[in-house]
Amino acid sequence: MDYLIGIDIGTTSTKAVLYNTDGDIFGYANKLYPLIQENADMAEEDPNVIFQATIDALAEVTAKADQTQGKILGVSWSTQQHSLIGLDKDHQPTTNTITWADNRAEKYASQMAADGSGLALYKRTGLPTHPMGPVYKILWLKNDHPEIYKKTRYWVGLKEYLLYRYFGQLKQEYNMAATTGLFNIHQMDWDEESMKLVGITRDQLPELVDATHQLTGMNPDYAKQIGFPADTPFIMGGTDGSLSEIGLGAINNGEVAVTIGTSGAVRTFVDKPQIDPKGRIFCYPVMQGKWIIGGPVNNGGIVFRWVRDQLFAPEKVMAKELGEDPYDVLTSIAKQVPAGSDGLIFHPFLGGERAPIWDGNARASFFGLTRQHSRAHMVRAALEGIVYNLYTVELALKEATGEPTEIRAAGGFARSPLWRQMLADIFEEPVTIPEAFESGCLGAMVIAQISLGLADDLSVVNKFIGKKNTYQPDPKTFENYREIMPIYIRLGRKLQSEYSAIAEYQRKREPKE
């Protein structure tokens, strides 16, 4: 029996899944690591800690493979997007991993949004105007930290750094390159205007390759630690968002994927580059004839975690003492409250926001509180607020692609029946939940199948997904949500004019870097 490994390097953990070539699972590993957050705008990670996490995850699943009766054919990579690492002339980091959640380039993104140059950059690159973009992060470092900028010889993302440590080569697949704002999606090459904007040249960026490109010649010490031969190929794969979409089986036009992990997103595939005149949705190439468009949100499961830790700390402690999942306890509490939370609305912007408002200064708020509202209302309102925000992303996506033919959902929230039903009710669409485990790893494995000649195209994923459950919208809740949604949208527009003021007030009171 031969094996494939899909590895998914996320924001808070690295996951690896060991498959045989029929898609059966033989091993799973999940290695956690911390975010470095010294103030509200900062979100960094130590790339060497994550590198060790990949070693440990790969070693754990490799140990489950019977290599006396078969071999590991390859490892395929799914990785968080929009990260930035500077490297010096010796390829040593000059920065930590500056993640997608880092907001310190907000000033420069806002300036370019105001003067129209951000929209022009978006139309060339498919990257919406937001500080998540590495192009804006480099601009921030150039202006605010020239000492780092001057000693940086190469600009890469997290995956590129990890693969450099394994292979001594700087390569980047088109899918990941498109998330930088430095790549022209129409010319399929590094964008001259973006490079000029930040003062770099193409020899400071990785070599561009396809998603199916294989790296070979691994450092034998690392191969020994993992437990497989040094000639085991690593397949480039793609971004976590794109591969999660593939892993859900939402590979055809009109099939929309909704994912909620730490963050969240609404995405779909199209056949060619598609740019939104208002700049609300991204557009990145994945493979030949496959482009992914949609909108990511900063505030998914991280909001539920905040509710758990800050509003329900006693219940969290009690749940652990009883051996229960604190999140299950919270969803049980939320079930006690009717749809619409009796008029309590939560805008879930705890960490700024990406789609659809693209405002790094956005801040969260409860609206409509009365003496009749309880903590139970607050937890349900928070869950609903996450889904309301995703629904506004879906509205923008509909303008570009029309009505969806199917909505599929995945992520940590998909384990909750309450959330599944809430998603169907607010979207007023049936929502299908594939049983596929770790969709990002599965999508990576599918790319490996194509790369290694085991499959012809992405449709092979349908062999691996298994059973699907569909949740139908409940007409009894439509009236509540139909009344609340316009208020949610109007209120958000009114609050947006004050986000920058409150964000600046907060920054004045935070520790300096």
Side-chain angles (χ1 to χ4, degrees), residues 91-374:
H91 296 88
Q92 297 301 307
T94 59
T95 69
N96 277 328
T97 304
I98 306 173
T99 73
W100 60 269
D102 194 282
N103 201 43
R104 288 171 292 178
E106 186 279 327
K107 174 173 67 174
Y108 300 100
S110 292
Q111 288 172 357
M112 291 182 64
D115 67 20
S117 59
L119 183 61
L121 186 148
Y122 161 72
K123 290 179 178 178
R124 298 192 311 273
T125 68
L127 176 80
T129 311
H130 189 273
M132 70 177 182
V135 65
Y136 297 108
K137 295 182 174 86
I138 298 174
L139 194 59
W140 163 67
L141 287 169
K142 179 182 180 181
N143 288 285
D144 291 25
H145 295 279
E147 73 287 355
I148 295 174
Y149 178 86
K150 288 175 182 176
K151 67 180 179 182
T152 297
R153 175 66 181 83
Y154 304 99
W155 298 100
V156 302
L158 176 58
K159 181 197 286 187
E160 294 72 58
Y161 175 70
L162 298 176
L163 292 177
Y164 181 84
R165 287 204 57 184
Y166 279 108
F167 295 96
Q169 304 174 49
L170 281 181
K171 311 264 189 186
Q172 188 169 50
E173 85 277 358
Y174 293 107
N175 186 208
M176 188 68 76
T179 72
T180 65
L182 296 163
F183 178 84
N184 190 304
I185 61 173
H186 309 288
Q187 299 173 0
M188 292 296 287
D189 196 3
W190 294 118
D191 184 68
E192 294 293 341
E193 290 187 56
S194 294
M195 289 189 289
K196 183 178 179 181
L197 170 70
V198 297
I200 66 174
T201 55
R202 66 175 54 240
D203 64 352
Q204 293 180 265
L205 297 168
E207 178 188 348
L208 294 167
V209 296
D210 290 325
T212 54
H213 182 81
Q214 298 177 19
L215 292 174
T216 56
M218 188 190 318
N219 183 310
D221 291 337
Y222 299 141
K224 184 177 179 181
Q225 291 179 50
I226 293 168
F228 54 44
D231 62 358
T232 303
F234 280 23
I235 293 95
M236 291 298 295
T239 67
D240 53 359
S242 299
L243 297 192
S244 180
E245 179 99 3
I246 293 169
L248 280 173
I251 58 175
N252 300 309
N253 292 7
E255 295 172 348
V256 172
V258 180
T259 55
I260 302 182
T262 303
S263 56
V266 182
R267 311 178 185 92
T268 192
F269 278 120
V270 292
D271 297 331
K272 59 185 179 180
Q274 194 162 335
I275 295 298
D276 173 32
K278 299 178 183 177
R280 295 168 298 174
I281 56 177
F282 62 72
C283 178
Y284 308 140
V286 179
M287 299 180 70
Q288 186 172 5
K290 288 289 183 184
W291 299 73
I292 193 165
I293 63 172
V297 301
N298 285 1
N299 301 284
I302 199 168
V303 173
F304 202 13
R305 185 188 309 164
W306 175 83
V307 171
R308 180 198 68 184
D309 294 345
Q310 303 301 328
L311 302 182
F312 288 85
E315 287 80 0
K316 174 185 174 182
V317 172
M318 185 178 298
K320 288 188 174 181
E321 289 177 350
L322 296 173
E324 299 177 359
D325 186 333
Y327 291 120
D328 290 341
V329 173
L330 263 61
T331 53
S332 296
I333 293 171
K335 285 180 184 178
Q336 302 169 13
V337 174
S341 301
D342 289 324
L344 182 61
I345 294 174
F346 182 66
H347 281 83
F349 308 140
L350 290 174
E353 191 49 283
R354 291 182 286 174
I357 62 174
W358 300 104
D359 190 342
N361 287 323
R363 294 296 186 264
S365 59
F366 283 102
F367 177 79
L369 271 171
T370 70
R371 290 189 299 274
Q372 282 67 47
H373 288 118
S374 64

Side-chain angles (χ1 to χ4, degrees), residues 362-441:
R363 294 296 186 264
S365 59
F366 283 102
F367 177 79
L369 271 171
T370 70
R371 290 189 299 274
Q372 282 67 47
H373 288 118
S374 64
R375 287 190 306 150
H377 287 89
M378 296 176 83
V379 66
R380 177 157 191 134
L383 295 176
E384 289 176 335
I386 296 167
V387 183
Y388 292 159
N389 196 44
L390 287 165
Y391 179 67
T392 63
V393 178
E394 167 66 359
L395 291 177
L397 195 58
K398 281 182 181 180
E399 288 186 28
T401 62
E403 292 292 329
T405 59
E406 183 180 15
I407 295 177
R408 297 191 180 193
F413 266 33
R415 292 192 295 268
S416 163
L418 174 65
W419 175 77
R420 297 177 184 189
Q421 191 61 53
M422 191 180 290
L423 188 65
D425 293 345
I426 292 172
F427 277 55
E428 289 194 32
E429 296 276 357
V431 173
T432 299
I433 315 290
E435 284 192 349
F437 179 71
E438 293 297 347
S439 57
C441 291

